[in-house]
Amino acid sequence: MKAAMIDLESAKPKEVAVVIPARNEAPSIARLINELSSLGHAVIVVDDYSSDETAQIAWAAGATVLRIPFHGGAWFAMQTGIRAACQQGYRITVTM
């Protein structure tokens, strides 16, 4: 597979999904989602069995939220989010 440089700011809306694995990120998740959404990209937050309000806050901020019913770790959450972005038809997936 050949790597390519992509200018995310010029990518068309709904072409790019940003996947964020999150666990107990309630204090900061809304600000991050708002900043990414302002660029026109979709945000998929994968809640890795948080004990706080991470999922609810992310959903209220406009992200697609996937909840894992056990603590799978960051790598499992990332894989889950990438798989969801592919299934939803996004051409570009960015991970954080």
Side-chain angles (χ1 to χ4, degrees):
M1 179 186 290
K2 186 176 181 182
M5 296 296 293
I6 299 170
D7 180 7
L8 292 178
E9 290 185 12
S10 66
K12 296 174 188 166
K14 295 299 179 187
E15 230 180 15
V16 178
V18 180
V19 174
I20 305 169
R23 184 161 196 255
N24 298 328
E25 297 292 340
S28 59
I29 196 75
R31 185 175 58 98
L32 178 58
I33 292 166
N34 291 331
E35 288 179 18
L36 293 168
S37 296
S38 72
L39 298 173
H41 306 314
V43 179
I44 300 172
V45 172
V46 183
D47 180 54
D48 187 23
Y49 200 61
S50 293
S51 60
D52 65 5
E53 302 295 314
T54 297
Q56 294 84 347
I57 292 169
W59 183 79
T64 297
V65 178
L66 307 173
R67 296 192 78 185
I68 299 173
F70 54 88
H71 176 55
W75 180 240
F76 182 81
M78 189 73 69
Q79 289 176 324
T80 301
I82 292 169
R83 196 170 307 120
C86 290
Q87 289 173 346
Q88 293 176 23
Y90 290 100
R91 193 171 73 83
I92 301 165
T93 302
V94 177
T95 58
M96 295 194 74

